Amino acid sequence: MTKRTSLKLTDERQRKLDRASAIVAEDEYDDPPMSVVIDAALTHLIESEQNIDDARDEYDPETIQAIANTSVIGLRYRTSLESRYR
């Protein structure tokens, strides 16, 4: 990952940040800073990977794939987790 000094907010990215902000907010009047929203999203991604790895001992690969596949985490039967971005 390269470090950048600025983050371009496209319309789509702003919509995603707004949705994520609503999830992170404590109530309808809370407006969390973008850094908190980004930290929560990154933490969720990291914890999701760990949860998937842990579930492999208990559930069959097809079940895990059916439940955990997203546009970000793509699962292949027991072989790997891979990001679909980039």
Side-chain angles (χ1 to χ4, degrees), residues 36-52:
V36 170
V37 175
I38 292 170
D39 286 346
L42 293 172
T43 300
H44 177 70
L45 181 60
I46 292 165
E47 289 176 357
S48 293
E49 180 185 33
Q50 185 60 52
N51 290 341
I52 291 166

Side-chain angles (χ1 to χ4, degrees), residues 1-85:
M1 176 176 68
T2 60
K3 292 184 179 182
R4 300 180 188 226
T5 57
S6 64
L7 176 65
K8 182 178 179 186
L9 291 180
T10 62
D11 290 343
E12 179 62 21
R13 185 173 284 151
Q14 185 63 54
R15 278 191 291 277
K16 288 178 182 178
L17 281 168
D18 291 342
R19 279 191 73 190
S21 179
I23 293 168
V24 172
E26 291 183 9
D27 58 36
E28 61 188 86
Y29 304 107
D30 187 21
D31 186 20
M34 188 185 310
S35 61
V36 170
V37 175
I38 292 170
D39 286 346
L42 293 172
T43 300
H44 177 70
L45 181 60
I46 292 165
E47 289 176 357
S48 293
E49 180 185 33
Q50 185 60 52
N51 290 341
I52 291 166
D53 287 343
D54 293 347
R56 286 187 168 152
D57 295 333
E58 192 171 335
Y59 299 98
D60 63 278
E62 294 84 2
T63 300
I64 294 172
Q65 185 180 39
I67 293 171
N69 262 359
T70 68
S71 60
V72 176
I73 298 175
L75 297 175
R76 296 186 183 165
Y77 290 7
R78 282 199 177 262
T79 57
S80 67
L81 291 174
E82 56 187 52
S83 173
R84 292 187 180 165
Y85 281 100

